[in-house]
Every structure is written in structure tokens, then in C-alpha cells.
């Protein structure tokens, strides 16, 4: 027997053991009586932000009284992975303390209800395959689902992810533990094929666990040998997962599992197509495995010639020389019995590596040319260098050089904004794509989608609020924190500051509330608004125009509804057509309302730098808002923005008791009209930084200057910012050059791919400042803020994509020329000064091969009169060498290098250079 006040007291003290004892053996009528007060109490706690303080006790109490449909979301919100403790607990007598999931299972079994398998299915459908930081709750939830499930496990993606990860991380991380668990519970055999189907699971489980006996790969092999798991299921799952690609670490365990299975010739012959699919696009080690197994099948005479030719062409399209040489060696044997196989060598003529091209030419000269493939080889030989074409002239005749392709400019026109969202249902669907859980996958939200959602929320909340509410009802039912409530910031948690995500969520709450004003009302200065203003700057400085605008919209849809927004851009870059803004102000004047202040300010900042005087005169006749914009334009708008690269003392290890300071490169912004300076803004949330280029789309250099602290140090997942800056307007100065230089030196290859897109876009429009980019690279490398090998690799990738396009080579030459000429040792910088090795070769001499870790291509100084090792001299001629290393820093404090002997300094070299 228990009553609600006593149970509430135990919950508020977070006494999980007391709650469990209190709710045990409750009769059915008392369980029903506790449902309403318990659910209302938990809802109030969530609204106040205090539910996390007592989630363990709430989970146990809810499992004693709620039904399956209500208990599934209840437990999903609880912290069932926690381990409640008590002062009188005796470890020696009772063993390690049990988790909340153990106590929940005891309470559920004591109730004797028949719907436990149904509860397991509902819980499994709510689990998401997320990263290891949610491991504690996810592991225990997966264990609880396994205990509650019936004869068949609910094999959802989330369940498979967390249960497999639990096996890897804890006691079952050893191969012995996994094998024993599968022997004891044969339901787990059904889990094995799903291990290869769920994203990220294969990468996690095929990495050995904390034990030293091999973990999952060895366990799967042992189960296959015992016949518990079908080895063909493992082989097919392994091949299917490898075909989906991945990095070397993600594929390493899968390849070890494949090699342990040791497929026979019959198994290879039945899966020849699967192995051939590994060659074109997978990691080089995976492609080498497919090549090796297919060659083994061909040596046995069981590989179709057409499959061999397709695999050969796929290998020669790849850039790896090792794969190309191995394929040519394989073809050398095949051509002896099938001369028509020589046609596959034609693809090798276009390989990036000269070594592979030379081997291909030798292979053709060795075996001669069959008349059937002569024309195909002759057409492909046009891609060879002149000396190799001359060697083939004896068997193929005279071969002309490949003609230069027609120049193609990249992305000259900027894209207009998509049409507005036409219905409330489209607004709700677009808003669902912007929920926080989605941002964790995309990292940067789409500013175009945000603008369309904001415009739709404002317009439909004014025109048809009931239809908008109905469209959002399904979403609100799944997200209880979107429950209808007027905007109120008076209950902000003391350790939180306002965020962009919170403001856009508050807008939905305002939509579900009743409007408190009409079209001619103004937004009142509420006490809650003053509280929000104070919290905006106290803990973390996020004083940004985006925060102000979202906050104004959240208030405006309730207290001062408007038919439409003024600041919705007309171009994906964020720019607004002045004629469109004049039309909007004219419509506002006709309907008798004034725009919201921050909305109009943002619209004004999104105008182009130069506006037609006729449009300015039109704005001047459209009431006070139009006059305000017109006078600002007459005065020169924001003026000109000048950016300057400087060094500042920046705190590092700021969370230590005594943070240290180091010099870092920053870019200062100075507007010709000081009142228009946006200042040194600390950017808002990480996912919202992609919106910043659209704040001042006509001054991308100023926005790039503010993004430099975000891009420095090889910051991950910040690469998408650079194409957004390239889409904006305005000249490129030190801000853009520094941002692009940091992008070229990003630590992740995917981030460097974004800067390649940005460079090609800028070059295609004639907006790339090549000398400025080179100066920025030289400055950052000399100050040890950039890894030069990454820059060289990014430049080579940009060159390969830009090859044959108009003007690309000249712009790249200017950038690299400036980088190498301005390369200097740091003066007075921290630590040991960096030394540089520059290779100077005589005219006409082929460039050296890049060392391991260097870039694939670059620029190299070439000086008449023989090789010299020195700094960049006046009168040095510059040529493009592929592949080549132009300059390598050998004293980068961020990269450990093994000690090596210092080579002797060549005669005539200047001191300080190698």
C-alpha cells in the first residue's frame, strides 16, 4: 500500500531503492490511481528542466504503474543505464551494484503482465543507432529489450547497434564471452546477418574489443566452425558491407574476417560479381582483396574474360600505382592465351602515374598488337606523353597528341531561391528536417531551408493558424517539448544560455498559442524578454543577428503577427533583389503595417553593395521604413570593408586553472563607416555557422574574417562553410584568403574537398585572388599554423579537377608562385624556427617523385644553371611539375617526426636551408 505524497517524496530524493520497495506488490486499483498524478508530475518536471535530476526513480515508478504504450516513451526518456547507490550496500555480500534496468526488469516481472514482448518491440522501435557517447543508456536498453522479448528478437537498427556495441564494450567484448552467449541464447543467431546491414555496426564490432583474444571477428569465425552460424551468411554479409565503402579502419576488421573464412574456388565462382564490385570505388586494400581473389579464380580457369576486362578497366581508372602494376602483371599472363585481352591496356594509357603508363607500353610492345584491338589502342595512346607515343609508333603507327578540351567555366550564375513552401504540410515537413537530431548527422543546417521554414511559419500563422497547427500536430505528438505554450524565457536553466535551436522551437510553441495582437501591433517589452536579453550575454557571448531575428519571430507570431517577412532572400547566397524589397515595403504600406525592426535591419544588410538610384527613390516614397532604408543607401550603405591579417594572443587550454596564451593569426575587419561595423562576434551554435555568410552576403570577406577562428587548426566538419562563402558577393581580401588557406590545410580529406569546390567556383567567376591566397598560405606555413603537405594535396586535387578549364592553370600558378616566393622563416615566433627544403631543378629536368606523406602535385621553382638549395631567389622561373613537393616544413610542433640524419649542405647553399 502506498499513497502519492509518500511516493513523490521518494522520487524527489532520488531514492531508487525506496521507490522500488514502495511500488512492489501494488494492487491494480492503486496502480491506476497513481497513473495520473505521476504523469502530470513528470510533465511538469520536464517543462521546468528538472526531470534529469530524478530520472532513475521516475523510471522505476513508471514501470510499476504505466501500460506498455505509455511506458515505452517513459523509459526512453529515463536514465536506465545509471547505477543507483546506497550507503549501506555491501559489495562483498551482494556483488556489484545493479543498474536501473535491472530494477525495472524486476518490477515488470513482478507485475505479471502479458504484454512484455510488445513492450520490447516498442522500446526497440525507439532506439536510434547513435554514437558511443549514448552507450550507457543504449547498452542497458538493449539488454532490457533482450530480456523482455519473446521467441523472436526485435531486430531494429537501434537495437542491433546498441546490443552489438554492448557486447564489444563490456564483459562480452571477448570472443569467448560472445561465443558462450550465443550458445546459451540461440535467438542471437538471428542477430548475426543484421550486424553487416546496419550502418556503423560493422566498423565497431570488427574492431577487437578490450580483450586480447580477438573480439567479434574471432567469435564469428568460431561460431562458423561449430556450425552455429552459416559461414556463407558471414561471407555474403561481409562482401555486401565492403561494397558500401568505408575508410581503412572501418574495413580492416571485415577484411580480417573475410580472410579467416578463406573462401574456396566454388564460393568465389558463385560470387565473382560481388568481388568485381569491390574494385572500382572501395578502399585500396579492399580493392586489392577483390583483385587477389579474382586472380586466384582466373588462375584456376574459372573467371569469365568479360569480367576480367571490366575489372582491369576499373583498376586503371584508380590512382593507386600498386594496383595498376599488379593488374598489368595479371594481364601479361592472360594475353598469352587470349590476345583480345590486350584491349584493357588502353585504359592504362590514361593512368595518372607515368610508371603505370610505361609498363603498359612495354606490355604492348612485348606481345604485339592484334588487329582487333589496334584501333582502340591507337585512340587511347593519344593520352600518353610524347616519348611514349613515339615508342608505340612502330606497332600503332603515328599517334597524335590528345586535343585540348574546350574550356568550360564552372558555376558562373548564382542560383535563385526555391519557391516558397505552398502549404502548411510542406512547412511542417521542412521543419521536421531541421530538428536537432538531424543536425547531428548533417552538421551544418541549410540556410535556404531555414529561410523557407521561417517565411512559411510567419505567413501561415497570420493567414491560417488553425491549418498550421493541424499540420504540426503529428510532430508535436512525438516531441512533447513542442507542447503549446506562449513564449516564456523566465525559466531558463541557470547554466544555459539562449540558443538558435531553442528560439526556433519557441516559434512553434507560439504558433500553437492564441495571438495576443493584430497586424498593427508592436512587440511589447515583456519581463521574460528582458530576462532573455540578460541571459544572452551573461554566460556565453552569442550576440548575433541570427539570434536576435529568431527571437523576434518567436515573439512576433504571438504579439504582433505579420503577413510576411522582409528579409527572406531572393538568392541562395542570401542577397535580396532591391526591387523585391521595394515591392514588399509597398505591400506593407498598402496593408497598413510596419515590419519588425530586426527583420527590416536584416533585409537592409542583405542588399547589394550598389543599388540603382531609381530603386532608392522608390523606397524613399514608401513611408518611414522605406525612408530609413533609402537614407541609409544614400549615405553609402555599409561602405567598404577592409580586412587585415594580424597576430593575436589567443588563450589555449582555457579550461585549465592557468590558461596559456599563444600567437594565432586573426583577421581584423574595419568598415569605412564605423557605425556599420558588426564587431568581433563570437559565433553561435556549431550547426548554425552555415547561416553566417547570408547575414552580410555582399561582404563575404568580412564574414570570412569572423570565421577564421572556426577554421583554424584543421577544424573538422567546418569545410561546408567555404562553398557558402564562395557563393556570396564582394571582393576577396585577407579574410577570404586566410579562410581558404585554412580550408586547404584541414585535417579531414572531406573538408579539403569543400575548399576545392570553393576555389573552382571562385576561379570560374574570375573572383579568386591568387596572389592573396598564396600570401596567406606562406604566412600560415611560416608561422607553423598550417601543414604544408595537406595544402599541396589539396592544390593537386584542385588542379586535377580544373585541368583543361579556361584560366585555371594561370590562376593556380599565381597562387603557388606567391606562396613559394613569400615563404620565410618566422621571426621571433614561438619555439624553434621552421626550416624549409626547396628543390630547384634545371630547365627541362623532370620533377622528383613526392616523398611519403607529401602531396601528389604542386609548383616547383626551376632555375637555370643547375640544382641549388636556397631560398626563393629573384629571377627564378616557375613551372608546374607533377608530382612534386615545392616546400616542406621540417619543424612543425604539431607533428612528431622521427629523428633523422641531417644531409650535408650542398655547395653554395645559404645557411639555414637544407
Amino acid at each position: 500500500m502506498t499513497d502519492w505524497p509518500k511516493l513523490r517524496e521518494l522520487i524527489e530524493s532520488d531514492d531508487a531503492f525506496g521507490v522500488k520497495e514502495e511500488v512492489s506488490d501494488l494492487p491494480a486499483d492503486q496502480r491506476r490511481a497513481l497513473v495520473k498524478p505521476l504523469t502530470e508530475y513528470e510533465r511538469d518536471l520536464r517543462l521546468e528542466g528538472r526531470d534529469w535530476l530524478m530520472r532513475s526513480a521516475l523510471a522505476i515508478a513508471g514501470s510499476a504503474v504505466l501500460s506498455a504504450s505509455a511506458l515505452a516513451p517513459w523509459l526512453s526518456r529515463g536514465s536506465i543505464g545509471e547505477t543507483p547507490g546506497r550507503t549501506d550496500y555491501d559489495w562483498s555480500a551482494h556483488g556489484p551494484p545493479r543498474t536501473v534496468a535491472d530494477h525495472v526488469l524486476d518490477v515488470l516481472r513482478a507485475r505479471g503482465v502479458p504484454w512484455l514482448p510488445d513492450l520490447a518491440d516498442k522500446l526497440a522501435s525507439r532506439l536510434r543507432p547513435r554514437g558511443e557517447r549514448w552507450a550507457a543508456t543504449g547498452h542497458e536498453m538493449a539488454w532490457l529489450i533482450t530480456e523482455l522479448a519473446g521467441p523472436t528478437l526485435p531486430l531494429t537498427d537501434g537495437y542491433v547497434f546498441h546490443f552489438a556495441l554492448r557486447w564489444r564494450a563490456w564483459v562480452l567484448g571477448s570472443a569467448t564471452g560472445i561465443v558462450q552467449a550465443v550458445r546459451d541464447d540461440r535467438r542471437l543467431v538471428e542477430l548475426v546477418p543484421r550486424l553487416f546491414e546496419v550502418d556503423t555496426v560493422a566498423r565497431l564490432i570488427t574492431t577487437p574489443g578490450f580483450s586480447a583474444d580477438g573480439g567479434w571477428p574471432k567469435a564469428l569465425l568460431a561460431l562458423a566452425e561449430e556450425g552455429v552460424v552459416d559461414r556463407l551468411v558471414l561471407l555474403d554479409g561481409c562482401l555486401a558491407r565492403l561494397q558500401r565503402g568505408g575508410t581503412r579502419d572501418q574495413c580492416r576488421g571485415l577484411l580480417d574476417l573475410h580472410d579467416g573464412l578463406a573462401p574456396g574456388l566454388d564460393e568465389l565462382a558463385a560470387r565473382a560479381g560481388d568481388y568485381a564490385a569491390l574494385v572500382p570505388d572501395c578502399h585500396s586494400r579492399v580493392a586489392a582483396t577483390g583483385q587477389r581473389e579474382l586472380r586466384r579464380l582466373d588462375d584456376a580457369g574459372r573467371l569469365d574474360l568479360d569480367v576480367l576486362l571490366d575489372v582491369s578497366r576499373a583498376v586503371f581508372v584508380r590512382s593507386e600505382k600498386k594496383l595498376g602494376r599488379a593488374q598489368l602483371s595479371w594481364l601479361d599472363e592472360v594475353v598469352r592465351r587470349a590476345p583480345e585481352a590486350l584491349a584493357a591496356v588502353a585504359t592504362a594509357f590514361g593512368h595518372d602515374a607515368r610508371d603505370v603508363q610505361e609498363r603498359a607500353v612495354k606490355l604492348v610492345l612485348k606481345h604485339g598488337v592484334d588487329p582487333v584491338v589496334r584501333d582502340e589502342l591507337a585512340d587511347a595512346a593519344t593520352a600518353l606523353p610524347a616519348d611514349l607515343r613515339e615508342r608505340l609508333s612502330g606497332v600503332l603507327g603515328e599517334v597524335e597528341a590528345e586535343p585540348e578540351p574546350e574550356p568550360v567555366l564552372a558555376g558562373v550564375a548564382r542560383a535563385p531561391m526555391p519557391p516558397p513552401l505552398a502549404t502548411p504540410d510542406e512547412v511542417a515537413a521542412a521543419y521536421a528536417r531541421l530538428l536537432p537530431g538531424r543536425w547531428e548527422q548533417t552538421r551544418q543546417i541549410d540556410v535556404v531551408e531555414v529561410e523557407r521554414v521561417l517565411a512559411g511559419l510567419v505567413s501561415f500563422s497570420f493567414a491560417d493558424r488553425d491549418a498550421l497547427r493541424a499540420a504540426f500536430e503529428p510532430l508535436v505528438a512525438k516531441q512533447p517539448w513542442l507542447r503549446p505554450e506562449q513564449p516564456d524565457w523566465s525559466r531558463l536553466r541557470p547554466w544555459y544560455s539562449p540558443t538558435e535551436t531553442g528560439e526556433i522551437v519557441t516559434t512553434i510553441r507560439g504558433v500553437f498559442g492564441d495571438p495576443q495582437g493584430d497586424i498593427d501591433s508592436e512587440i511589447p517589452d515583456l519581463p521574460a524578454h528582458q530576462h532573455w536579453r540578460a541571459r544572452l550575454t551573461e554566460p556565453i557571448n552569442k550576440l548575433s543577428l541570427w539570434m536576435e531575428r529568431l527571437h523576434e519571430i518567436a515573439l512576433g507570431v504571438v504579439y504582433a503577427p505579420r503577413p510576411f517577412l522582409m528579409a527572406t532572400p531572393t538568392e541562395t547566397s542570401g542577397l535580396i533583389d532591391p526591387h523585391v524589397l521595394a515591392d514588399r515595403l509597398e505591400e506593407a504600406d498598402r496593408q497598413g503595417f510596419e515590419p519588425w525592426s530586426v527583420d527590416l535591419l536584416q533585409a537592409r544588410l542583405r542588399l547589394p553593395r550598389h543599388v540603382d538610384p531609381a530603386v532608392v527613390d522608390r523606397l524613399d516614397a514608401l513611408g518611414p521604413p522605406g525612408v530609413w532604408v533609402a537614407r541609409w543607401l544614400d549615405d553609402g550603405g555599409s561602405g567598404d570593408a577592409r580586412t587585415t591579417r594580424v597576430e593575436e594572443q589567443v588563450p589555449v587550454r582555457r579550461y585549465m586553472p592557468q590558461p596559456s596564451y599563444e600567437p594565432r593569426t586573426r583577421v581584423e575587419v574595419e568598415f569605412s563607416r564605423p557605425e556599420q561595423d558588426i564587431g568581433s562576434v563570437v559565433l553561435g551554435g556549431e550547426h548554425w555557422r552555415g547561416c553566417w555568410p547570408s547575414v552580410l552576403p555582399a561582404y563575404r570577406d568580412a564574414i570570412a574574417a569572423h570565421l577564421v577562428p572556426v577554421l583554424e587548426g584543421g577544424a573538422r566538419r567546418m569545410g561546408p562553410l567555404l562553398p557558402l562563402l564562395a557563393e556570396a558577393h564582394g571582393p576577396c581580401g585577407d579574410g577570404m584568403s586566410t579562410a581558404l588557406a585554412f580550408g586547404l590545410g584541414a585535417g579531414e580529406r572531406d573538408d579539403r574537398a569543400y575548399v576545392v569546390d570553393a576555389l573552382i567556383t571562385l576561379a570560374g567567376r574570375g573572383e579568386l585572388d591568387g596572389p592573396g591566397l598564396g600570401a596567406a598560405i606562406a604566412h600560415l606555413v611560416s608561422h607553423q599554423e598550417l601543414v604544408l603537405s595537406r595544402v599541396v594535396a589539396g592544390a593537386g586535387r584542385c588542379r586535377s579537377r580544373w585541368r583543361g578549364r579556361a584560366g585555371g592553370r594561370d590562376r593556380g600558378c599565381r597562387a603557388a608562385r606567391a606562396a613559394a616566393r613569400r615563404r620565410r622563416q618566422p621571426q621571433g615566433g614561438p619555439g624553434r624556427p621552421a626550416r624549409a627544403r626547396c628543390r630547384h631543378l634545371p630547365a627541362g629536368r623532370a620533377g622528383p617523385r613526392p616523398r611519403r606523406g607529401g602531396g601528389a602535385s604542386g609548383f616547383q621553382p626551376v632555375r637555370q644553371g643547375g640544382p641549388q638549395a636556397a631560398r626563393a631567389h629573384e629571377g627564378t622561373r616557375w613551372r608546374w611539375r607533377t608530382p612534386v613537393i615545392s616546400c616542406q616544413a621540417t619543424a612543425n610542433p604539431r607533428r612528431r617526426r622521427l629523428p633523422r640524419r641531417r644531409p650535408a649542405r650542398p655547395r653554395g647553399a645559404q645557411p639555414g636551408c637544407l
Side-chain angles (χ1 to χ4, degrees):
M1 296 290 292
T2 186
D3 55 1
W4 168 241
K6 183 177 181 181
L7 181 60
R8 174 174 177 172
E9 182 180 353
L10 292 173
I11 293 175
E12 289 181 346
S13 62
D14 200 25
D15 186 359
F17 293 94
V19 171
K20 180 180 178 182
E21 295 174 0
E22 193 68 22
V23 299
S24 298
D25 301 327
L26 284 177
D29 56 342
Q30 287 199 19
R31 296 180 193 275
R32 289 192 296 269
L34 288 174
V35 170
K36 183 176 180 180
L38 181 61
T39 54
E40 291 179 351
Y41 175 67
E42 191 265 350
R43 184 189 62 186
D44 294 339
L45 288 178
R46 282 190 286 113
L47 292 176
E48 297 174 3
R50 298 192 299 120
D51 58 317
W52 68 276
L53 296 171
M54 50 200 77
R55 285 178 180 172
S56 300
L58 285 171
I60 297 174
S63 62
V65 301
L66 298 178
S67 62
S69 58
L71 187 57
W74 185 282
L75 293 178
S76 298
R77 294 193 296 268
S79 300
I80 66 172
E82 295 180 357
T83 304
R86 55 192 304 175
T87 56
D88 59 345
Y89 187 82
D90 187 1
W91 282 48
S92 60
H94 304 288
R98 308 172 74 198
T99 64
V100 175
D102 294 305
H103 299 302
V104 168
L105 181 62
D106 293 341
V107 173
L108 288 172
R109 285 176 173 172
R111 293 180 63 178
V113 291
W115 40 257
L116 293 184
D118 183 46
L119 176 62
D121 294 339
K122 294 180 182 297
L123 290 173
S125 65
R126 287 181 168 270
L127 269 181
R128 297 292 179 264
R130 291 178 174 173
E132 294 183 75
R133 49 181 169 172
W134 291 279
T137 300
H139 292 351
E140 295 305 315
M141 183 65 75
W143 173 84
L144 180 62
I145 292 171
T146 306
E147 296 297 324
L148 296 176
T152 304
L153 295 175
L155 301 178
T156 63
D157 289 357
Y159 170 75
V160 172
F161 176 87
H162 287 287
F163 199 67
L165 195 61
R166 181 178 188 269
W167 277 15
R168 173 181 175 265
W170 300 104
V171 178
L172 297 178
S174 64
T176 305
I178 295 174
V179 172
Q180 188 60 43
V182 178
R183 289 172 182 165
D184 296 341
D185 190 352
R186 289 304 178 98
R187 296 179 303 169
L188 300 178
V189 176
E190 304 172 3
L191 189 73
V192 174
R194 293 283 289 147
L195 298 177
F196 303 99
E197 298 173 3
V198 182
D199 289 337
T200 71
V201 171
R203 172 177 60 87
L204 293 172
I205 66 172
T206 53
T207 302
F210 293 107
S211 61
D213 64 347
W216 266 97
K218 185 176 180 180
L220 292 175
L221 292 175
L223 292 171
E225 291 177 0
E226 295 179 6
V228 178
V229 177
D230 189 353
R231 65 185 305 276
L232 295 182
V233 171
L234 295 180
L235 181 60
D236 292 336
C238 187
L239 291 176
R241 178 59 185 86
L242 288 173
Q243 289 176 19
R244 285 152 58 187
T247 63
R248 181 187 62 181
D249 293 337
Q250 294 171 354
C251 299
R252 180 180 56 186
L254 292 169
L255 292 175
D256 294 341
L257 176 62
H258 172 272
D259 295 342
L261 292 172
L265 291 177
D266 292 337
E267 296 168 342
L268 291 177
R271 295 164 180 80
D274 294 330
Y275 283 98
L278 301 178
V279 176
D281 302 318
C282 295
H283 188 270
S284 59
R285 185 178 172 187
V286 177
T289 300
Q291 184 187 51
R292 181 195 65 204
E293 298 300 329
L294 290 174
R295 183 168 185 177
R296 186 158 67 94
L297 190 62
D298 181 63
D299 292 341
R302 304 183 61 177
L303 181 65
D304 187 72
L305 182 61
D306 292 336
V307 176
L308 170 61
L309 296 180
D310 292 340
V311 169
S312 300
R313 295 186 177 97
V315 168
F316 294 139
V317 171
R318 300 177 63 103
S319 60
E320 294 89 354
K321 295 191 294 184
K322 184 177 180 180
L323 292 176
R325 291 194 297 263
Q327 194 66 31
L328 288 173
S329 176
W330 183 6
L331 286 175
D332 190 12
E333 300 176 0
V334 174
V335 171
R336 297 173 183 174
R337 65 175 188 269
E340 63 272 19
L342 196 64
V345 182
T347 312
F349 290 163
H351 200 277
D352 293 337
R354 181 180 173 87
D355 181 24
V356 175
Q357 292 178 328
E358 290 178 349
R359 288 173 179 259
V361 170
K362 291 179 181 179
L363 182 63
V364 172
L365 295 176
K366 176 181 178 181
H367 294 280
V369 179
D370 190 275
V372 178
V373 299
R374 180 185 300 274
D375 294 339
E376 183 176 356
L377 291 175
D379 293 339
T382 58
L384 291 171
D387 57 333
L388 296 181
R389 294 199 310 270
E390 184 179 355
R391 293 174 60 181
L392 287 175
S393 60
V395 293
L396 297 179
E398 189 69 23
V399 179
E400 299 293 336
E402 183 179 9
E404 289 290 332
E406 291 295 328
V408 178
L409 294 179
V412 174
R414 290 175 170 86
M417 279 287 288
L421 300 172
T423 63
D425 291 333
E426 291 183 6
V427 176
Y431 179 83
R433 293 192 294 268
L434 297 177
L435 289 177
R438 306 253 180 194
W439 297 337
E440 302 221 354
Q441 301 173 9
T442 59
R443 306 312 302 175
Q444 294 294 332
I445 67 171
D446 186 359
V447 61
V448 175
E449 197 75 1
V450 172
E451 289 289 351
R452 298 176 74 206
V453 168
L454 293 177
L457 287 174
V458 172
S459 62
F460 286 111
S461 64
F462 179 86
D464 195 351
R465 188 176 290 239
D466 293 336
L468 190 61
R469 290 173 182 168
F472 272 90
E473 276 294 347
L475 181 63
V476 172
K478 297 180 181 179
Q479 307 290 345
W481 36 273
L482 289 175
R483 281 282 75 179
E485 185 178 340
Q486 300 295 349
D488 184 10
W489 295 269
S490 61
R491 291 184 292 180
L492 283 174
R493 302 176 189 179
W495 51 88
Y496 281 174
S497 63
T499 63
E500 296 89 342
T501 305
E503 296 305 320
I504 200 169
V505 166
T506 307
T507 305
I508 302 302
R509 295 176 178 171
V511 166
F512 273 89
D514 295 328
Q516 306 295 313
D518 49 28
I519 192 171
D520 57 354
S521 301
E522 295 184 358
I523 298 177
D525 190 12
L526 303 172
H529 174 72
Q530 298 174 4
H531 179 74
W532 179 89
R533 173 68 60 185
R535 298 305 310 281
L536 181 66
T537 57
E538 279 180 4
I540 302 174
N541 182 15
K542 290 187 177 178
L543 186 59
S544 67
L545 191 60
W546 257 101
M547 286 284 293
E548 294 279 357
R549 184 169 176 237
L550 293 174
H551 182 69
E552 183 185 64
I553 293 174
L555 284 171
V557 296
V558 177
Y559 297 102
R562 295 292 187 265
F564 52 85
L565 290 172
M566 294 290 167
T568 302
T570 58
E571 193 178 278
T572 55
S573 64
L575 209 69
I576 293 181
D577 187 350
H579 295 278
V580 175
L581 180 58
D583 293 340
R584 294 173 182 172
L585 288 173
E586 185 176 0
E587 180 64 20
D589 186 58
R590 188 185 66 81
Q591 297 189 25
F593 72 89
E594 289 190 1
W596 295 328
S597 58
V598 181
D599 183 38
L600 186 59
L601 173 61
Q602 177 63 91
R604 191 180 74 171
L605 293 176
R606 284 178 168 173
L607 291 172
R609 297 164 68 95
H610 304 288
V611 179
D612 188 358
V615 179
V616 178
D617 295 338
R618 181 185 173 192
L619 290 170
D620 198 22
L622 294 177
V627 172
W628 183 67
V629 176
R631 299 291 171 80
W632 179 76
L633 292 173
D634 285 336
D635 293 339
S638 296
D640 296 326
R642 185 179 65 179
T643 55
T644 307
R645 195 163 37 246
V646 297
E647 284 192 16
E648 292 183 2
Q649 294 294 325
V650 177
V652 295
R653 307 181 191 88
R654 62 183 63 191
Y655 299 108
M656 300 297 291
Q658 293 182 350
S660 59
Y661 291 81
E662 293 183 2
R664 291 288 188 270
T665 297
R666 295 292 183 265
V667 180
E668 291 183 349
V669 183
E670 181 181 359
F671 283 81
S672 58
R673 299 182 63 192
E675 67 274 10
Q676 303 299 330
D677 197 341
I678 61 176
S680 298
V681 181
V682 178
L683 301 182
E686 176 182 352
H687 309 295
W688 288 82
R689 288 168 182 164
C691 299
W692 269 82
S694 67
V695 173
L696 279 173
Y699 295 87
R700 61 179 163 200
D701 202 44
I703 295 297
H706 289 291
L707 288 172
V708 163
V710 178
L711 296 169
E712 73 166 350
R716 299 178 61 186
R717 299 182 295 271
M718 292 296 108
L721 297 175
L722 295 171
L724 297 176
L725 290 171
E727 285 295 322
H729 297 256
C732 294
D734 286 347
M736 277 295 294
S737 299
T738 307
L740 291 171
F742 274 126
L744 281 172
E748 297 291 333
R749 180 179 298 179
D750 292 341
D751 289 331
R752 293 197 293 271
Y754 286 108
V755 72
V756 172
D757 294 338
L759 288 172
I760 290 178
T761 300
L762 291 171
R765 294 176 180 152
E767 298 171 351
L768 178 61
D769 181 14
L773 177 58
I777 295 173
H779 173 86
L780 296 176
V781 170
S782 63
H783 288 74
Q784 303 178 0
E785 297 183 59
L786 210 59
V787 180
L788 187 59
S789 59
R790 296 174 183 171
V791 178
V792 174
R797 184 172 182 177
C798 183
R799 175 182 177 270
S800 63
R801 289 187 55 184
W802 185 252
R803 184 182 299 168
R805 299 188 179 187
R809 181 166 301 188
D810 291 339
R811 294 181 180 91
C813 289
R814 288 199 298 270
R817 195 158 51 228
R821 282 180 175 172
R822 302 187 185 191
R823 177 71 169 89
R824 293 291 186 268
Q825 293 185 3
Q827 299 295 332
R832 185 166 57 95
R835 295 193 303 270
R837 170 163 40 209
C838 299
R839 299 177 182 264
H840 293 246
L841 300 179
R845 180 175 174 179
R849 300 181 185 274
R851 296 179 356 177
R852 187 184 183 96
S857 59
F859 282 92
Q860 169 177 317
V862 182
R863 182 179 176 85
Q864 293 280 7
Q868 297 199 16
R871 304 176 188 232
H873 297 284
E874 294 296 332
T876 302
R877 294 192 301 109
W878 298 85
R879 290 184 179 179
W880 183 269
R881 300 289 191 187
T882 306
V884 73
I885 297 177
S886 61
C887 187
Q888 292 181 341
T890 59
N892 192 331
R894 295 189 178 93
R895 302 183 68 184
R896 294 185 59 188
R897 294 180 180 273
L898 296 177
R900 58 187 181 187
R901 294 180 59 188
R902 180 176 178 178
R905 178 156 47 93
R907 182 178 301 176
Q910 298 180 4
C913 291
L914 297 181

